[in-house]
Every structure is written in structure tokens, then in C-alpha cells.
């Protein structure tokens, strides 16, 4: 029986401070007050002075509250019966279903030992051309979606969850609006994907402390599924709320702030979560796709800035589209040579031509005289945006590559695009003028 403590020295926000002995960092405690019982976690040790975060918040907790340390870190349940369920930020059922009380696993552990990892080598198909063709998502990759408020980021995540070729989806919601949580739940239920999904949802109305636990719980469960041979996709939304929760706790703890008030260990806190992405030798994998909202579309803000140094690229969501300039998948070269022989050539050529079409558009906007080539580029740019960049486009990789050839054919002559002749001979469509006119009318 662990010793009970009856005297709290200080209460600041959701943090309580007391004198205790034989306590470990990260250890879990039970706090009993007039308001009820809540769990808390040790977040600072200074000799015998112990600081704990109270998960349910410190409202109603008096200096005479009882604190009992449990002798182990935060744990969560692991079971196949988690699939299809919805939990809150501390893994309590949110769907009125029964509690899962099978195997308890620790959360927040270290990342996987490199000797247990293998080199990423498998593509995750999403049905989104701007990902599959131009910035291929690779199994075990860690990659964020950088977005401004108001962009259809939740819709993009939900679509990836529905269409990604994985065995298990774990959604970690951080500071979600209740409507956003309902959107994810209803979308996956209506499309029949809930049976392979697990939700850990922290809403904006829940205690801030619980927001910090969601990534750790999600990734701990993901790791066990991966060790059991599952290909797991972890979706985290929104990591900006996670960073803001860290900031709030740091201010409460009177830590010396870093840039824009964020804690000095923001980078390591983010890295500790993202580095859980892994492809196990002779087992499954964990792929992490997160949403990071950029205040004011400022990529130099501490959250996206630190994230960019950790992850293997990023997707930029602007104007309801995945922007090709700035978006990057650093691992795409691991897989796009094995998809179809024209993949890399189409990817590079279409992006180069789209960059030129942007320049032609600037000339048009500034009133300069346009050449025949400029007009071809403008036509190409419009087709590329409507038929490839639009998030409503939902086609396979092979269909997207074929569409790429069709767009090139509708705007240019084969010799104008600089593609290898052997690929042109094999893939360039043999269309007639009437076919091109029909495509123009369709546009």
C-alpha cells in the first residue's frame, strides 16, 4: 500500500505541489478531493518537492486533498476490442461502451531502437493525385499537413483515413471542436471504416492537461498493433493545440519561456512523438500524418518551424488544395521508381510546366503581351488545377498518371515537354483534334 499524503503546499492552474519521498518522474498519482477523484502525473522533481498535473483540473482541489502515488507511469489498455471504439484524452470510453481492462501498456516510452527498424519501401495509396503522384506518402513516414485556419484539413484527413491502404487507423484529436469530432466519427461510420479505427478525442471543452496525453496514448497503442503485424496510420489533429497546451503548462510552472512564449523544449517534445513512426523488421509499421495549423500562414512560427526539422517533408494546404510548391515528401524516391516507369518523369515535368504557367499568369496579371507558348502554359495551368490539384479528384495512381499524359497532350506537342522519347512513344495519347475539342468543352 502506497503512502497517503494529506498536505498540498501550492496550487497553480492544474498543477499541485507537495512534499513526498520515493517518487519517480512521470509516476501516476490519485488525487481525492471534495470534487471527486482524479489522476495526476509527476512533471517535476526538486529534491522532495513534487509537482503534479491534475488531469481533471485543480478546480475544487483543496490543500487538504489526499494524494496517493501509484508506483507506475501512465498506462492504457491494449486489446483488439479497441477497434471501433471512441475514448477521451485519458482513454475513458466516450461512446458509452464498456471500459477495456485487458493488457495495460505504458505510454510515453522511448522511440524504437534503430536495430529493430527497416528502411521504408512501401507506398501508401490515398487516391489523391497531389499526394500519390507528386509527394508520395510512404509507410512509416512522419509528415505534417501545414494549413491555415479555415482550410478543409479535417476533410482531407478523413478522406486519407477512408482510402489509405492500411490495417488500422488511430485518430488522436487534440482540442477538437465537438462538431469536428462528430464529423470524423460520422464520416468513418458512414463509409464503413469505423471497424478498423480507434478514436482518442480531446475536445476544446476538456481539461488542457489531457491534450498532452492523446499523442502518447495513440502512439503507444499504435506500437502494439504494429508489433502484432498491423500497418497502422496515426492521424493527429491539431498539433498546434498540443504545443499550446505545453505552453500553458510551462507558464503555470513558471518556466523561462523561449520564442513567442513556447517552452524551450518544444522541439524535443514534438520529436519524442514524431519519432515513434517506424517500419518494424518482420512486423508492421506506424505512419504518422498530423495537422499543424499555422497562425497567420507563418511557416516561421515556432510550431511549424520546429516540426519541419523533425519530419520527412510536409503537405501545404492552401486555397482548398495541396500546394505543389513547398509540399515535399523526402521519402518518395524510396517508392516512386517501383510504381510505374513514367511516374518520376510525369511528376517532374508536370511540376516544371506548372511553375512556368504561374510565371505566365503573373505576366498576364501585369498586362504584358503573351506569346503563344504563354497561352499554352495558361491553358495547362488551368487544366492541372482542375483535374489534378482539386481535392474532389479521387482516382488511382495509374489513372492519375494517365490523366497527366492526357493533360499534356491537350496542351502541348510531344517535343515541347522534354519527356524521354521512349516514354512518349509508349504513353503519349494518340488523340484527334475532335477529342481535344471535346476535352476543352468539358473543362
Amino acid at each position: 500500500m502506497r503512502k497517503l499524503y494529506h498536505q498540498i503546499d501550492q496550487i497553480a492552474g492544474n498543477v499541485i505541489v507537495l512534499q513526498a519521498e520515493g517518487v519517480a518522474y512521470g509516476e501516476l498519482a490519485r488525487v481525492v478531493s471534495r470534487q471527486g477523484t482524479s489522476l495526476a502525473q509527476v512533471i517535476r522533481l526538486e529534491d522532495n518537492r513534487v509537482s503534479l498535473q491534475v488531469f481533471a483540473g485543480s478546480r475544487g482541489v483543496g490543500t487538504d486533498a489526499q494524494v496517493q502515488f501509484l508506483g507506475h507511469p501512465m498506462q492504457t489498455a491494449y486489446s483488439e476490442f479497441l477497434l471501433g471504439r471512441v475514448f477521451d484524452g485519458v482513454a475513458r470510453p466516450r461512446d458509452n461502451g464498456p471500459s477495456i481492462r485487458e493488457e495495460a501498456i505504458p505510454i510515453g516510452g522511448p522511440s524504437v531502437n534503430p536495430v529493430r527498424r527497416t528502411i521504408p519501401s512501401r507506398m501508401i495509396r490515398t487516391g489523391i493525385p497531389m499526394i500519390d503522384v507528386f509527394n508520395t506518402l510512404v509507410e512509416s513516414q512522419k509528415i505534417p499537413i501545414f494549413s491555415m485556419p479555415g482550410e478543409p484539413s479535417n476533410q482531407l484527413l478523413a478522406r486519407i483515413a477512408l482510402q489509405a491502404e492500411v490495417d488500422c487507423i488511430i485518430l488522436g484529436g487534440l482540442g477538437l471542436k465537438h462538431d469536428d469530432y462528430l464529423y470524423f466519427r460520422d464520416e468513418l461510420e458512414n463509409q464503413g471504416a469505423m471497424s478498423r479505427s480507434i478514436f482518442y478525442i480531446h475536445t476544446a471543452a476538456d481539461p488542457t492537461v489531457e491534450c498532452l496525453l492523446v499523442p502518447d496514448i495513440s502512439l503507444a497503442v499504435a506500437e502494439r498493433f504494429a508489433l502484432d503485424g498491423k500497418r497502422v496510420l496515426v492521424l493527429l489533429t491539431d498539433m498546434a493545440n498540443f504545443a499550446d497546451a505545453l505552453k500553458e503548462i510551462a507558464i503555470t510552472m513558471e518556466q523561462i519561456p523561449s520564442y513567442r512564449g513556447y517552452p524551450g523544449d518544444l522541439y524535443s517534445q514534438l520529436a519524442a512523438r514524431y519519432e515513434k513512426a517506424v517500419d518494424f523488421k518482420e512486423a508492421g509499421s506506424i505512419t504518422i500524418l498530423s495537422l499543424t495549423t499555422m497562425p497567420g500562414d507563418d511557416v516561421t512560427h515556432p510550431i511549424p518551424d520546429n516540426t519541419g526539422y523533425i519530419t520527412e517533408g510536409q503537405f501545404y494546404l492552401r486555397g482548398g488544395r495541396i500546394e505543389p510548391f513547398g509540399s515535399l515528401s523526402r521519402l518518395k524516391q524510396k517508392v516512386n521508381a517501383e510504381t510505374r516507369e513514367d511516374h518520376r518523369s510525369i511528376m517532374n515535368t508536370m511540376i516544371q510546366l506548372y511553375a512556368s504557367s504561374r510565371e505566365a499568369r503573373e505576366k498576364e496579371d501585369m498586362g504584358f503581351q503573351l506569346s503563344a507558348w504563354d497561352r499554352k502554359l495558361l491553358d495547362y495551368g488551368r487544366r492541372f488545377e482542375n483535374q489534378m490539384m482539386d481535392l474532389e479528384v479521387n482516382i488511382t495512381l495509374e489513372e492519375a498518371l494517365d490523366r497527366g499524359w492526357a493533360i499534356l497532350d491537350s496542351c502541348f506537342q510531344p517535343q515541347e515537354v522534354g519527356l524521354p522519347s521512349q516514354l512518349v512513344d509508349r504513353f503519349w495519347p494518340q488523340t484527334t483534334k475532335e477529342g481535344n475539342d471535346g476535352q476543352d468543352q468539358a473543362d
Side-chain angles (χ1 to χ4, degrees):
M1 182 71 176
R2 303 283 292 184
K3 182 178 178 180
L4 277 173
Y5 294 87
H6 299 270
Q7 179 62 45
I8 295 176
D9 299 334
Q10 181 181 341
I11 302 173
N14 295 324
V15 178
I16 61 175
V17 182
L18 69 154
Q19 299 290 324
E21 297 178 349
V23 177
Y25 183 81
E27 185 173 342
L28 211 58
R30 183 182 295 112
V31 180
V32 182
S33 66
R34 292 184 294 273
Q35 293 296 107
T37 302
S38 173
L39 293 177
Q41 188 174 33
V42 176
I43 58 173
R44 177 185 286 180
L45 292 171
E46 298 174 311
D47 296 326
N48 290 336
R49 184 177 171 86
V50 181
S51 300
L52 301 101
Q53 287 183 117
V54 183
F55 295 160
S58 62
R59 179 176 295 180
V61 176
T63 55
D64 60 346
Q66 296 183 0
V67 179
Q68 183 179 29
F69 293 92
L70 304 182
H72 60 77
M74 180 70 182
Q75 297 176 325
T76 190
Y78 169 71
S79 166
E80 292 284 341
F81 296 111
L82 292 171
L83 294 169
R85 297 294 306 278
V86 181
F87 302 90
D88 66 8
V90 289
R92 295 175 300 221
R94 189 184 282 274
D95 56 4
N96 297 321
S99 297
I100 304 294
R101 300 187 181 277
E102 297 192 23
E103 181 183 357
I105 58 175
I107 72 168
S111 57
V112 177
N113 191 315
V115 301
R116 302 184 66 186
R117 298 172 179 260
T118 188
I119 297 174
S121 60
R122 290 173 290 189
M123 171 186 177
I124 296 180
R125 293 170 177 252
T126 66
I128 302 171
M130 293 308 296
I131 295 178
D132 291 352
V133 177
F134 300 99
N135 285 293
T136 311
L137 182 63
V138 181
E139 195 170 319
S140 81
Q141 191 168 14
K142 46 188 182 291
I143 191 164
I145 299 171
F146 287 164
S147 170
M148 282 184 63
E151 295 287 351
S153 51
N154 289 334
Q155 289 82 350
L156 176 59
L157 282 178
R159 183 173 162 196
I160 292 173
L162 290 169
Q163 299 182 177
E165 296 178 344
V166 294
D167 301 317
C168 178
I169 300 158
I170 299 181
L171 174 67
L174 300 97
L176 283 182
K177 295 178 182 178
H178 194 68
D179 289 348
D180 292 335
Y181 151 58
L182 293 178
Y183 168 78
F184 279 113
R185 187 196 65 185
D186 294 345
E187 192 73 9
L188 268 65
E189 280 184 349
N190 294 338
Q191 300 297 325
M194 197 65 197
S195 61
R196 61 175 182 142
S197 304
I198 309 170
F199 283 18
Y200 293 99
I201 302 296
H202 168 267
T203 69
D206 295 332
T208 302
V209 175
E210 294 183 8
C211 183
L212 302 179
L213 298 175
V214 170
D216 290 337
I217 293 175
S218 301
L219 292 164
V221 172
E223 186 170 309
R224 287 305 303 271
F225 273 107
L227 287 170
D228 286 345
K230 302 290 188 183
R231 302 168 66 195
V232 186
L233 175 62
V234 179
L235 305 176
L236 299 175
T237 174
D238 173 351
M239 289 301 284
N241 292 330
F242 173 80
D244 288 340
L246 288 172
K247 180 179 179 180
E248 183 175 331
I249 297 300
I251 292 172
T252 302
M253 296 293 294
E254 299 181 351
Q255 295 180 7
I256 298 174
S258 184
Y259 184 49
R260 297 201 187 184
Y262 287 92
D265 64 345
L266 177 62
Y267 176 91
S268 58
Q269 291 281 3
L270 293 170
R273 278 78 187 178
Y274 282 115
E275 292 299 336
K276 293 296 184 72
V278 60
D279 195 347
F280 285 105
K281 292 182 178 178
E282 300 179 355
S285 64
I286 302 172
T287 306
I288 301 176
L289 184 62
S290 69
L291 171 65
T292 297
T293 300
M294 300 186 296
D297 199 23
D298 180 12
V299 74
T300 66
H301 186 279
I303 303 172
D305 187 37
N306 281 279
T307 300
Y309 285 103
I310 301 165
T311 55
E312 293 140 350
Q314 64 280 322
F315 300 141
Y316 276 95
L317 187 60
R318 287 197 181 103
R321 297 166 173 167
I322 295 176
E323 180 67 33
F325 308 121
S327 294
L328 173 66
S329 171
R330 294 191 178 96
L331 298 186
K332 64 185 178 183
Q333 305 297 336
K334 300 286 186 182
V335 297
N336 61 12
E338 308 298 326
T339 50
R340 209 170 81 174
E341 61 180 303
D342 59 327
H343 187 164
R344 287 184 176 178
S345 296
I346 281 289
M347 172 185 71
N348 294 330
T349 297
M350 294 195 79
I351 291 299
Q352 290 170 4
L353 289 170
Y354 185 61
S356 298
S357 77
R358 284 280 188 91
E359 295 175 0
R361 190 177 303 172
E362 289 180 6
K363 290 172 64 176
E364 182 182 45
D365 292 342
M366 296 173 66
F368 289 104
Q369 184 175 359
L370 300 179
S371 65
W373 176 247
D374 290 330
R375 297 191 184 281
K376 285 187 175 185
L377 290 171
L378 289 174
D379 183 31
Y380 167 78
R382 285 189 292 267
R383 293 172 185 268
F384 183 80
E385 290 173 352
N386 294 334
Q387 300 179 37
M388 297 290 269
M389 289 179 64
D390 195 317
L391 289 181
E392 294 299 319
V393 177
N394 183 13
I395 53 179
T396 66
L397 169 65
E398 289 73 21
E399 290 172 331
L401 293 173
D402 291 340
R403 180 172 293 188
W405 284 102
I407 293 172
L408 293 175
D409 174 58
S410 64
C411 301
F412 307 105
Q413 294 298 315
Q415 62 272 19
E416 293 178 318
V417 296
L419 283 163
S421 57
Q422 64 270 25
L423 294 179
V424 171
D425 293 340
R426 179 174 178 184
F427 293 104
W428 194 277
Q430 301 300 314
T431 56
T432 63
K433 184 178 185 301
E434 288 77 13
N436 285 337
D437 291 341
Q439 181 66 49
D440 291 339
Q441 292 173 8
D443 289 341

PDB file of all heavy atoms in Angstrom, residues 179-192:
ATOM      1  N   ASP A 179     -18.145  19.606 -33.065  1.00  0.00           N
ATOM      2  CA  ASP A 179     -18.643  19.345 -34.413  1.00  0.00           C
ATOM      3  C   ASP A 179     -17.613  18.626 -35.260  1.00  0.00           C
ATOM      4  O   ASP A 179     -17.964  17.766 -36.085  1.00  0.00           O
ATOM      5  CB  ASP A 179     -19.048  20.656 -35.093  1.00  0.00           C
ATOM      6  CG  ASP A 179     -20.320  21.256 -34.507  1.00  0.00           C
ATOM      7  OD1 ASP A 179     -21.004  20.541 -33.750  1.00  0.00           O
ATOM      8  OD2 ASP A 179     -20.612  22.428 -34.793  1.00  0.00           O
ATOM      9  N   ASP A 180     -16.328  18.969 -35.080  1.00  0.00           N
ATOM     10  CA  ASP A 180     -15.265  18.299 -35.836  1.00  0.00           C
ATOM     11  C   ASP A 180     -15.148  16.836 -35.423  1.00  0.00           C
ATOM     12  O   ASP A 180     -14.948  15.949 -36.266  1.00  0.00           O
ATOM     13  CB  ASP A 180     -13.937  19.014 -35.636  1.00  0.00           C
ATOM     14  CG  ASP A 180     -13.918  20.396 -36.268  1.00  0.00           C
ATOM     15  OD1 ASP A 180     -14.682  20.613 -37.222  1.00  0.00           O
ATOM     16  OD2 ASP A 180     -13.156  21.261 -35.791  1.00  0.00           O
ATOM     17  N   TYR A 181     -15.260  16.587 -34.109  1.00  0.00           N
ATOM     18  CA  TYR A 181     -15.235  15.199 -33.634  1.00  0.00           C
ATOM     19  C   TYR A 181     -16.392  14.404 -34.240  1.00  0.00           C
ATOM     20  O   TYR A 181     -16.203  13.276 -34.726  1.00  0.00           O
ATOM     21  CB  TYR A 181     -15.292  15.186 -32.102  1.00  0.00           C
ATOM     22  CG  TYR A 181     -15.946  13.955 -31.516  1.00  0.00           C
ATOM     23  CD1 TYR A 181     -15.458  12.679 -31.782  1.00  0.00           C
ATOM     24  CD2 TYR A 181     -17.068  14.068 -30.700  1.00  0.00           C
ATOM     25  CE1 TYR A 181     -16.067  11.553 -31.248  1.00  0.00           C
ATOM     26  CE2 TYR A 181     -17.683  12.958 -30.159  1.00  0.00           C
ATOM     27  CZ  TYR A 181     -17.188  11.707 -30.441  1.00  0.00           C
ATOM     28  OH  TYR A 181     -17.792  10.598 -29.928  1.00  0.00           O
ATOM     29  N   LEU A 182     -17.589  14.981 -34.246  1.00  0.00           N
ATOM     30  CA  LEU A 182     -18.750  14.297 -34.811  1.00  0.00           C
ATOM     31  C   LEU A 182     -18.564  14.063 -36.315  1.00  0.00           C
ATOM     32  O   LEU A 182     -18.992  13.035 -36.841  1.00  0.00           O
ATOM     33  CB  LEU A 182     -20.016  15.105 -34.557  1.00  0.00           C
ATOM     34  CG  LEU A 182     -20.456  15.226 -33.095  1.00  0.00           C
ATOM     35  CD1 LEU A 182     -21.695  16.098 -32.984  1.00  0.00           C
ATOM     36  CD2 LEU A 182     -20.721  13.851 -32.485  1.00  0.00           C
ATOM     37  N   TYR A 183     -17.913  15.027 -36.989  1.00  0.00           N
ATOM     38  CA  TYR A 183     -17.667  14.862 -38.423  1.00  0.00           C
ATOM     39  C   TYR A 183     -16.795  13.633 -38.681  1.00  0.00           C
ATOM     40  O   TYR A 183     -17.113  12.797 -39.548  1.00  0.00           O
ATOM     41  CB  TYR A 183     -16.996  16.110 -38.998  1.00  0.00           C
ATOM     42  CG  TYR A 183     -16.465  15.901 -40.392  1.00  0.00           C
ATOM     43  CD1 TYR A 183     -17.326  15.907 -41.487  1.00  0.00           C
ATOM     44  CD2 TYR A 183     -15.113  15.646 -40.620  1.00  0.00           C
ATOM     45  CE1 TYR A 183     -16.847  15.677 -42.774  1.00  0.00           C
ATOM     46  CE2 TYR A 183     -14.632  15.420 -41.895  1.00  0.00           C
ATOM     47  CZ  TYR A 183     -15.512  15.441 -42.967  1.00  0.00           C
ATOM     48  OH  TYR A 183     -15.032  15.196 -44.224  1.00  0.00           O
ATOM     49  N   PHE A 184     -15.687  13.513 -37.958  1.00  0.00           N
ATOM     50  CA  PHE A 184     -14.809  12.354 -38.141  1.00  0.00           C
ATOM     51  C   PHE A 184     -15.556  11.063 -37.844  1.00  0.00           C
ATOM     52  O   PHE A 184     -15.477  10.090 -38.614  1.00  0.00           O
ATOM     53  CB  PHE A 184     -13.582  12.472 -37.228  1.00  0.00           C
ATOM     54  CG  PHE A 184     -12.501  13.358 -37.753  1.00  0.00           C
ATOM     55  CD1 PHE A 184     -12.194  14.549 -37.121  1.00  0.00           C
ATOM     56  CD2 PHE A 184     -11.787  13.009 -38.879  1.00  0.00           C
ATOM     57  CE1 PHE A 184     -11.191  15.372 -37.598  1.00  0.00           C
ATOM     58  CE2 PHE A 184     -10.777  13.825 -39.373  1.00  0.00           C
ATOM     59  CZ  PHE A 184     -10.485  15.009 -38.727  1.00  0.00           C
ATOM     60  N   ARG A 185     -16.275  11.045 -36.732  1.00  0.00           N
ATOM     61  CA  ARG A 185     -16.982   9.815 -36.346  1.00  0.00           C
ATOM     62  C   ARG A 185     -18.026   9.422 -37.384  1.00  0.00           C
ATOM     63  O   ARG A 185     -18.076   8.268 -37.825  1.00  0.00           O
ATOM     64  CB  ARG A 185     -17.654  10.020 -34.984  1.00  0.00           C
ATOM     65  CG  ARG A 185     -18.273   8.747 -34.398  1.00  0.00           C
ATOM     66  CD  ARG A 185     -19.243   9.071 -33.287  1.00  0.00           C
ATOM     67  NE  ARG A 185     -20.406   9.812 -33.804  1.00  0.00           N
ATOM     68  CZ  ARG A 185     -21.363  10.306 -33.031  1.00  0.00           C
ATOM     69  NH1 ARG A 185     -21.280  10.166 -31.718  1.00  0.00           N
ATOM     70  NH2 ARG A 185     -22.381  10.947 -33.566  1.00  0.00           N
ATOM     71  N   ASP A 186     -18.855  10.388 -37.795  1.00  0.00           N
ATOM     72  CA  ASP A 186     -19.928  10.085 -38.746  1.00  0.00           C
ATOM     73  C   ASP A 186     -19.372   9.703 -40.111  1.00  0.00           C
ATOM     74  O   ASP A 186     -19.898   8.799 -40.779  1.00  0.00           O
ATOM     75  CB  ASP A 186     -20.869  11.289 -38.885  1.00  0.00           C
ATOM     76  CG  ASP A 186     -21.622  11.586 -37.589  1.00  0.00           C
ATOM     77  OD1 ASP A 186     -21.632  10.709 -36.702  1.00  0.00           O
ATOM     78  OD2 ASP A 186     -22.166  12.697 -37.461  1.00  0.00           O
ATOM     79  N   GLU A 187     -18.299  10.386 -40.539  1.00  0.00           N
ATOM     80  CA  GLU A 187     -17.730  10.108 -41.851  1.00  0.00           C
ATOM     81  C   GLU A 187     -17.187   8.688 -41.918  1.00  0.00           C
ATOM     82  O   GLU A 187     -17.430   7.959 -42.893  1.00  0.00           O
ATOM     83  CB  GLU A 187     -16.626  11.123 -42.161  1.00  0.00           C
ATOM     84  CG  GLU A 187     -16.155  11.133 -43.597  1.00  0.00           C
ATOM     85  CD  GLU A 187     -17.140  11.742 -44.566  1.00  0.00           C
ATOM     86  OE1 GLU A 187     -18.152  12.326 -44.114  1.00  0.00           O
ATOM     87  OE2 GLU A 187     -16.915  11.622 -45.781  1.00  0.00           O
ATOM     88  N   LEU A 188     -16.463   8.271 -40.894  1.00  0.00           N
ATOM     89  CA  LEU A 188     -15.896   6.929 -40.914  1.00  0.00           C
ATOM     90  C   LEU A 188     -16.963   5.864 -40.701  1.00  0.00           C
ATOM     91  O   LEU A 188     -16.874   4.769 -41.274  1.00  0.00           O
ATOM     92  CB  LEU A 188     -14.790   6.807 -39.859  1.00  0.00           C
ATOM     93  CG  LEU A 188     -13.375   7.134 -40.384  1.00  0.00           C
ATOM     94  CD1 LEU A 188     -13.265   8.602 -40.793  1.00  0.00           C
ATOM     95  CD2 LEU A 188     -12.317   6.801 -39.330  1.00  0.00           C
ATOM     96  N   GLU A 189     -17.982   6.177 -39.894  1.00  0.00           N
ATOM     97  CA  GLU A 189     -19.072   5.215 -39.709  1.00  0.00           C
ATOM     98  C   GLU A 189     -19.856   5.027 -41.009  1.00  0.00           C
ATOM     99  O   GLU A 189     -20.163   3.897 -41.404  1.00  0.00           O
ATOM    100  CB  GLU A 189     -20.016   5.693 -38.603  1.00  0.00           C
ATOM    101  CG  GLU A 189     -19.516   5.415 -37.200  1.00  0.00           C
ATOM    102  CD  GLU A 189     -20.529   5.819 -36.147  1.00  0.00           C
ATOM    103  OE1 GLU A 189     -21.522   6.503 -36.504  1.00  0.00           O
ATOM    104  OE2 GLU A 189     -20.348   5.451 -34.978  1.00  0.00           O
ATOM    105  N   ASN A 190     -20.171   6.128 -41.680  1.00  0.00           N
ATOM    106  CA  ASN A 190     -20.984   6.050 -42.897  1.00  0.00           C
ATOM    107  C   ASN A 190     -20.269   5.324 -44.020  1.00  0.00           C
ATOM    108  O   ASN A 190     -20.910   4.709 -44.881  1.00  0.00           O
ATOM    109  CB  ASN A 190     -21.377   7.460 -43.358  1.00  0.00           C
ATOM    110  CG  ASN A 190     -22.311   8.157 -42.386  1.00  0.00           C
ATOM    111  OD1 ASN A 190     -22.992   7.498 -41.588  1.00  0.00           O
ATOM    112  ND2 ASN A 190     -22.346   9.476 -42.424  1.00  0.00           N
ATOM    113  N   GLN A 191     -18.934   5.393 -44.029  1.00  0.00           N
ATOM    114  CA  GLN A 191     -18.160   4.750 -45.088  1.00  0.00           C
ATOM    115  C   GLN A 191     -17.642   3.366 -44.687  1.00  0.00           C
ATOM    116  O   GLN A 191     -16.849   2.766 -45.409  1.00  0.00           O
ATOM    117  CB  GLN A 191     -16.978   5.647 -45.485  1.00  0.00           C
ATOM    118  CG  GLN A 191     -17.379   7.013 -46.011  1.00  0.00           C
ATOM    119  CD  GLN A 191     -18.177   6.947 -47.289  1.00  0.00           C
ATOM    120  OE1 GLN A 191     -17.946   6.084 -48.125  1.00  0.00           O
ATOM    121  NE2 GLN A 191     -19.134   7.863 -47.448  1.00  0.00           N
ATOM    122  N   GLY A 192     -18.062   2.891 -43.518  1.00  0.00           N
ATOM    123  CA  GLY A 192     -17.699   1.544 -43.105  1.00  0.00           C
ATOM    124  C   GLY A 192     -16.273   1.367 -42.637  1.00  0.00           C
ATOM    125  O   GLY A 192     -15.763   0.241 -42.608  1.00  0.00           O
TER     126      GLY A 192
END
